[in-house]
Amino acid sequence: MTQNEKNSMQRLVDELNDYAYRYYVLDDPAVTDDVYDKLYDELLALERDVGERLPDSPTARVGGEPISAFLPHTHISRLYSLDKCRSFDELREWAAKAVKAADGEEIAFTLEYKLDGLTLCVTYENGIFRGAATRGNGVTGEDVTEQARTIRSIPMRIDFRGVTEAKGECIMRRSAFRKYNETAEEPLKNPRNGAAGALRNLDPSVTAKRKLDMIFYDVNYISDDSVRSQEEGVEWLRKNRFKTEKLLVSRDIEEIISAISAVDRDALDFDIDGMVVKVDDYALREKLGFTDKFPRWAIAYKFEAEETTTKVKDVVWQVGRTGKLTPLALLEPVELCGATVRRATLNNYGDILRKKVKIGSTVFIRRSNDVIPEILSAVDGTGSGEVTKPTVCPDCGAPVVENGANLFCTNRESCRTAVIARLAHFVSKDCMDIDGLSTNTLGKFHDYLGVREPYQIYDVTRDDLLTLESFKDKKADNLIAAIEKSKSPRLSAYINAFGIPNVGKKLAYDLSVKYGSVDKLAAASADELAAVDDIGEHIAADITGFFAENRELDGELRRRGVTPLADVVTEGPLGGESVVLTGKLASMPRSKAAEAIQALGGKVQSSVTKETTLVVAGEDAGSKLDKAKAAGIRVIGESEFLSLINA
């Protein structure tokens, strides 16, 4: 290889690795996929021509040939497991022992996520990735170097030129887990098993398909002894392009406990089963020492399990507002996260087949966002009763048709359950916000007052209400007042109330700001809509298709006195700002904070991108805050945010 060829190869490798770092670690892509692919193909062709490949080349990430067996790997420095506690009193006792053992010295504690994946120790020498191994017994693990190469967030080159071991957790993100299971012949039971199974598969190409991620939290060994605390270690990892999560450092164990209490597991895209508290200073760690099994300077606070097993008693089919039939599993009652669970969702009939769910099956269930749990998979060989695919609607008896992966009632316009579901969406808080119209009351509207369409709600009179069971004078007056009050909704809520497929609260707001009226929105072409942020061809077709079939809805509502008001967008303090909210706000729900940002002229984003100009960080702000800091984006806390919106 000539020097010119080597220089060209190194330039391409450096450029591609930098793009990968921005994409997989910072979540801030610098080029489009086609630009990356062209550079990648150019490097691949050059490597073929010269017959060589640089050690940190991204072409080495694609899964290579299967290996025959895992070889043992001895870690430079031993990896320890952690002692555990399940109450804050136990945590306080541990902290008190640490302070006592340190002869009264003031101790700084650190707090980080206890990631639920598979621990890996990754070795670098002279700045180059040399290999990766599982923890094993702490002294010797299994060499999974080829599998680790497929994980894009593991850097192939770092700035440090000595020898180091970086420790972290290999995880499968929840989003990657869900996407994988949508088409998998053998669905994964949970993200942790997905990560562990992929790393321990002898074929690296199988590992690559799982789209694993790696989050680092420790410098396990460093040849120049330059890292002397946990805080320094995490900062060193960040500077050397390792992906990390937030680290809290505090000298007050009560602050640590408050932070643990504020953790929102549902807001994360990865599983955690607890939080890890450590003594920050390495010198103090040496003084505290070890028990036979664990370091005395660290402990894991364990959360309640989010996953358990139970049996399926039956599967019933529910009809939604679009007429879609969704299977619901009825379960033997089981305790999960402090609640008794009796039912769980399945996505569609194909989901039932992929997960091998039968009547009587033992199934893994998982809590998701504090709502009805989801069935992840069934234990092989359990259950005997096949779940039958319905041919007619369980509510109205109309024939069922298949559209893609889902089943739909062909009598959507008249099916009682579908009609009531559409009415319930229309009157909900984020839509017309009619207080007092429960699903039960809407059922009475349907059965006794002939209400089938949302606009017919405004035809209901006080006398009509008094004919219904449980309605007396005061209740009737209150509901009539609530219906009248709803005639002046914000335009974004009005658009959201229509129930346009794939158009929720945020997108409805964006559309209301861009178009300013339903007339202009309904007249927009699919091409014009597709150019709006967060709208592609599919959603654009949903919007145009909706108005083609339901244009009269707006007119009927207007004739009954419903007059939507424009969403107020000022040229205030946040005019022109693209704002990301992260972490928990003590003073208000996130939805209210988003409304306040929009009222002051700001645009709310769901993730940190190159367009983001401001991040509002509440308690337990995680990776979004780290990405913002790495990208140099302005960050403010809750108190500054409140001063801004209340000015």
Side-chain angles (χ1 to χ4, degrees), residues 201-326:
N201 192 294
L202 295 174
D203 187 349
S205 66
V206 173
T207 311
K209 292 177 182 177
R210 301 278 176 93
K211 307 295 184 186
L212 303 184
D213 203 353
M214 185 78 181
I215 297 176
F216 291 87
Y217 50 79
D218 261 334
V219 178
N220 193 57
Y221 170 82
I222 188 165
S223 56
D224 65 357
D225 289 328
S226 57
V227 174
R228 302 305 302 159
S229 71
Q230 181 72 10
E231 186 175 20
E232 286 182 12
V234 172
E235 185 59 31
W236 183 93
L237 289 167
R238 287 176 183 154
K239 287 181 178 178
N240 279 274
R241 297 193 161 203
F242 293 95
K243 181 182 284 189
T244 64
E245 275 294 328
K246 180 184 177 183
L247 182 77
L248 172 66
V249 183
S250 175
R251 297 184 182 277
D252 183 359
I253 195 63
E254 295 304 321
E255 183 181 359
I256 295 289
I257 289 172
S258 295
I260 294 173
S261 300
V263 171
D264 182 1
R265 298 162 76 182
D266 295 326
L268 303 173
D269 191 32
F270 48 81
D271 286 351
I272 60 173
D273 57 0
M275 300 293 289
V276 177
V277 185
K278 300 175 182 175
V279 171
D280 183 42
D281 185 74
Y282 283 8
L284 276 176
R285 290 184 182 185
E286 292 177 10
K287 193 171 185 178
L288 291 165
F290 301 82
T291 67
D292 290 341
K293 296 181 179 180
F294 311 113
R296 289 193 178 93
W297 43 262
I299 195 167
Y301 178 87
K302 294 281 286 184
F303 291 139
E304 285 186 284
E306 290 186 308
E307 190 178 301
T308 189
T309 58
T310 186
K311 285 188 177 181
V312 176
K313 295 164 60 178
D314 198 3
V315 173
V316 297
W317 294 80
Q318 293 187 318
V319 185
R321 61 186 171 92
T322 64
K324 184 173 79 172
L325 274 63
T326 303

Side-chain angles (χ1 to χ4, degrees), residues 13-264:
V13 166
D14 291 345
E15 192 171 0
L16 286 165
N17 282 340
D18 185 61
Y19 290 151
Y21 168 68
R22 291 178 66 105
Y23 185 92
Y24 291 104
V25 178
L26 298 183
D27 193 22
D28 181 26
V31 294
T32 58
D33 288 347
D34 63 323
V35 172
Y36 182 93
D37 291 342
K38 287 177 182 176
L39 291 170
Y40 184 93
D41 291 341
E42 183 182 344
L43 174 61
L44 196 60
L46 182 57
E47 289 175 344
R48 285 171 180 163
D49 287 343
V50 302
E52 292 185 40
R53 181 168 64 190
L54 296 178
D56 58 336
S57 172
T59 64
R61 287 192 182 276
V62 179
E65 292 298 315
I67 59 178
S68 58
F70 291 109
L71 298 175
H73 170 87
T74 301
H75 305 299
I76 300 173
S77 182
R78 180 177 175 180
L79 280 66
Y80 289 91
S81 57
L82 298 176
D83 198 2
K84 301 173 181 63
C85 68
R86 294 185 180 274
S87 73
F88 290 141
D89 282 343
E90 288 180 273
L91 182 56
R92 291 184 180 100
E93 288 176 11
W94 170 84
K97 288 178 182 178
V99 171
K100 183 178 180 181
D103 296 328
E105 291 185 47
E106 191 175 29
I107 293 181
F109 299 103
T110 65
L111 180 69
E112 60 200 57
Y113 294 129
K114 187 177 184 299
L115 298 154
D116 194 11
L118 187 71
T119 301
L120 285 189
C121 192
V122 185
T123 306
Y124 293 82
E125 184 178 350
N126 195 29
I128 301 297
F129 169 80
R130 295 303 185 195
T134 62
R135 181 172 61 190
N137 62 10
V139 176
T140 303
E142 292 178 319
D143 189 314
V144 290
T145 297
E146 295 310 311
Q147 287 76 5
R149 285 186 188 277
T150 70
I151 303 172
R152 303 280 180 167
S153 46
I154 295 179
M156 292 293 101
R157 177 188 290 271
I158 62 174
D159 293 336
F160 181 67
R161 289 296 179 262
V163 176
T164 188
E165 287 181 330
K167 185 170 70 171
E169 202 82 357
C170 176
I171 61 171
M172 189 174 191
R173 290 188 176 269
R174 291 172 175 173
S175 53
F177 170 78
R178 288 191 296 267
K179 188 172 182 179
Y180 181 90
N181 269 1
E182 286 174 2
T183 57
E185 292 183 10
E186 291 287 337
L188 301 170
K189 290 180 171 56
N190 54 47
R192 185 187 187 283
N193 287 354
L199 276 175
R200 301 202 75 258
N201 192 294
L202 295 174
D203 187 349
S205 66
V206 173
T207 311
K209 292 177 182 177
R210 301 278 176 93
K211 307 295 184 186
L212 303 184
D213 203 353
M214 185 78 181
I215 297 176
F216 291 87
Y217 50 79
D218 261 334
V219 178
N220 193 57
Y221 170 82
I222 188 165
S223 56
D224 65 357
D225 289 328
S226 57
V227 174
R228 302 305 302 159
S229 71
Q230 181 72 10
E231 186 175 20
E232 286 182 12
V234 172
E235 185 59 31
W236 183 93
L237 289 167
R238 287 176 183 154
K239 287 181 178 178
N240 279 274
R241 297 193 161 203
F242 293 95
K243 181 182 284 189
T244 64
E245 275 294 328
K246 180 184 177 183
L247 182 77
L248 172 66
V249 183
S250 175
R251 297 184 182 277
D252 183 359
I253 195 63
E254 295 304 321
E255 183 181 359
I256 295 289
I257 289 172
S258 295
I260 294 173
S261 300
V263 171
D264 182 1

Side-chain angles (χ1 to χ4, degrees), residues 8 50 63 100 126 150 188 200 255 262 292 349-350 373 390 401 425 449 462-463 494 512 514 522 571 597:
S8 297
V50 302
K100 183 178 180 181
N126 195 29
T150 70
L188 301 170
R200 301 202 75 258
E255 183 181 359
D292 290 341
Y349 189 68
V401 295
H425 172 78
L449 303 181
R462 183 178 185 275
D463 289 341
Y494 186 64
S512 74
K514 180 172 178 61
E571 293 301 323
I597 291 167

Side-chain angles (χ1 to χ4, degrees), residues 240-490:
N240 279 274
R241 297 193 161 203
F242 293 95
K243 181 182 284 189
T244 64
E245 275 294 328
K246 180 184 177 183
L247 182 77
L248 172 66
V249 183
S250 175
R251 297 184 182 277
D252 183 359
I253 195 63
E254 295 304 321
E255 183 181 359
I256 295 289
I257 289 172
S258 295
I260 294 173
S261 300
V263 171
D264 182 1
R265 298 162 76 182
D266 295 326
L268 303 173
D269 191 32
F270 48 81
D271 286 351
I272 60 173
D273 57 0
M275 300 293 289
V276 177
V277 185
K278 300 175 182 175
V279 171
D280 183 42
D281 185 74
Y282 283 8
L284 276 176
R285 290 184 182 185
E286 292 177 10
K287 193 171 185 178
L288 291 165
F290 301 82
T291 67
D292 290 341
K293 296 181 179 180
F294 311 113
R296 289 193 178 93
W297 43 262
I299 195 167
Y301 178 87
K302 294 281 286 184
F303 291 139
E304 285 186 284
E306 290 186 308
E307 190 178 301
T308 189
T309 58
T310 186
K311 285 188 177 181
V312 176
K313 295 164 60 178
D314 198 3
V315 173
V316 297
W317 294 80
Q318 293 187 318
V319 185
R321 61 186 171 92
T322 64
K324 184 173 79 172
L325 274 63
T326 303
L328 180 73
L330 305 182
L331 309 171
E332 288 187 357
V334 63
E335 292 297 313
L336 182 62
C337 296
T340 302
V341 175
R342 292 182 171 85
R343 55 185 187 156
T345 57
L346 291 154
N347 295 316
N348 48 50
Y349 189 68
D351 195 36
I352 293 172
L353 296 179
R354 281 195 305 275
K355 295 176 179 177
K356 299 180 180 179
V357 174
K358 298 179 181 179
I359 309 302
S361 289
T362 298
V363 293
F364 291 87
I365 62 170
R366 180 181 183 80
R367 186 195 72 162
S368 178
N369 297 322
D370 285 326
V371 294
I372 183 169
E374 176 189 6
I375 288 181
L376 300 175
S377 65
V379 176
D380 288 345
T382 61
S384 57
E386 298 291 339
V387 178
T388 304
K389 182 197 297 187
T391 57
V392 297
C393 174
D395 180 74
C396 68
V400 167
V401 295
E402 289 193 51
N403 185 351
N406 298 305
L407 302 172
F408 289 86
C409 172
T410 55
N411 185 36
R412 173 185 177 277
E413 298 304 320
S414 302
C415 179
R416 181 182 186 275
T417 304
V419 170
I420 293 173
R422 288 196 295 277
L423 295 175
H425 172 78
F426 181 81
V427 305
S428 63
K429 185 175 180 62
D430 289 334
C431 297
M432 301 302 283
D433 193 18
I434 305 179
D435 189 32
L437 271 183
S438 65
T439 301
N440 182 50
T441 300
L442 289 170
K444 294 176 181 178
F445 274 32
H446 176 279
D447 297 342
Y448 302 112
L449 303 181
V451 174
R452 300 290 186 272
E453 298 293 339
Y455 56 79
Q456 292 176 325
I457 291 171
Y458 295 95
D459 296 334
V460 174
T461 67
R462 183 178 185 275
D463 289 341
D464 290 331
L465 293 178
L466 292 175
T467 67
L468 301 178
E469 182 183 0
S470 80
F471 268 89
K472 303 298 181 185
D473 288 345
K474 184 175 181 181
K475 185 175 180 180
D477 289 338
N478 288 342
L479 184 51
I480 290 296
I483 292 173
E484 189 65 28
K485 180 182 177 183
S486 75
K487 289 183 177 180
S488 301
R490 289 179 295 108

